[in-house]
Amino acid sequence: MKKKDRVLALLRLIPLAVMLGLIAAVALSGHSLSAEEIFNYSPGNPWLAAGFLLLLYALKSLSIVFPIVVLYLAGGMLFSTPAALAVGTLGAAVCLSLPYWVGRWSAGSFAQTLARRYPKVRALLDLQRENDFFFSFFVRVIGFLPCDVVSLYLGSAGLPFGPYLAGGLLGMLPGIFTVTLMGASIQDPSSPQFLISAAVTLLLSLGSMIVAHRARRGKTGSGG
């Protein structure tokens, strides 16, 4: 291998190395931020607070283990509902994009490694269809697959970015909407807004679990 090719190969590994380092750092810290902590740490200026929250979305997308729901809740606590939904949607786009490009740039054949490490991700090989937009929407709306790992996989697998991002955002919108509304009314857990949002979030989670269970049973039945 030529020296130029070796240098390029090493450069391609840098984003993945950074991501693995962040994963290890978060795992070793043993601490996960709560929505209340994010609210307390956020700047008073709304534009700076939005930038701070988007930075956390970026860190979340590269550390994998940090829960995105906490960021949705924090957004609902920090901003008016329209602004919180806008920031949450932009944050979701960040979370979809960064791991995707890490997978696209660094991974190469990483898709197969991810499939072995995360058996649920392997199901994507069987679910993928010619319609990239619908496929990306489907794997997000069912929600039982880890968001950032899926993004790594799809970037590594070479799914076109435009349909991937549009479908993924559309699939994540129900969760963004309901959890943000929960955050906006979290100071009054007995309010109709909080209770309805919590109920819808629970129904979405249960629906995801049912779809995941049926998908696994269907795969097992077809294999047998």
Side-chain angles (χ1 to χ4, degrees):
M1 182 184 293
K2 295 180 180 180
K3 182 178 180 181
K4 182 179 178 180
D5 294 333
R6 288 197 299 270
V7 171
L8 181 59
L10 289 173
L11 288 175
R12 291 173 70 91
L13 290 175
I14 290 176
L16 185 59
V18 170
M19 191 170 188
L20 292 174
L22 285 172
I23 293 171
V26 172
L28 291 173
S29 71
H31 178 71
S32 184
L33 283 174
S34 67
E36 186 176 359
E37 286 178 308
I38 295 172
F39 178 81
N40 292 332
Y41 293 152
S42 295
N45 182 286
W47 290 103
L48 292 178
F52 173 69
L53 197 57
L54 290 175
L55 176 61
L56 291 180
Y57 273 105
L59 291 175
K60 175 268 173 297
S61 72
L62 295 176
S63 65
I64 293 182
V65 294
F66 190 83
I68 196 171
V69 171
V70 171
L71 299 177
Y72 294 157
L73 285 171
M77 296 167 66
L78 282 165
F79 308 108
S80 66
T81 298
L85 292 172
V87 172
T89 302
L90 186 56
V94 171
C95 283
L96 288 170
S97 300
L98 290 182
Y100 171 93
W101 287 112
V102 170
R104 190 72 173 264
W105 175 254
S106 297
S109 60
F110 195 48
Q112 297 303 321
T113 302
L114 282 173
R116 290 192 297 270
R117 176 66 180 82
Y118 296 91
K120 290 180 180 179
V121 176
R122 188 171 183 81
L124 296 180
L125 294 170
D126 302 319
L127 292 174
Q128 191 166 358
R129 299 291 185 267
E130 290 182 3
N131 191 324
D132 296 322
F133 172 86
F134 177 78
F135 172 68
S136 184
F137 165 80
F138 177 74
V139 297
R140 300 302 180 181
V141 78
I142 58 175
F144 71 91
L145 295 167
C147 175
D148 305 314
V149 175
V150 170
S151 299
L152 270 172
Y153 172 82
L154 295 180
S156 175
L159 199 76
F161 181 69
Y164 157 82
L165 181 61
L169 276 178
L170 186 62
M172 293 175 74
L173 279 179
I176 296 171
F177 187 79
T178 56
V179 179
T180 298
L181 290 181
M182 284 179 62
S185 55
I186 201 167
Q187 300 298 328
D188 185 11
S190 62
S191 67
Q193 178 175 317
F194 182 89
L195 293 174
I196 292 172
S197 301
V200 172
T201 301
L202 179 61
L203 288 174
L204 288 172
S205 299
L206 290 174
S208 170
M209 292 172 62
I210 291 170
V211 171
H213 178 67
R214 290 183 176 179
R216 286 196 293 268
R217 285 187 61 185
K219 184 179 177 183
T220 303
S222 63

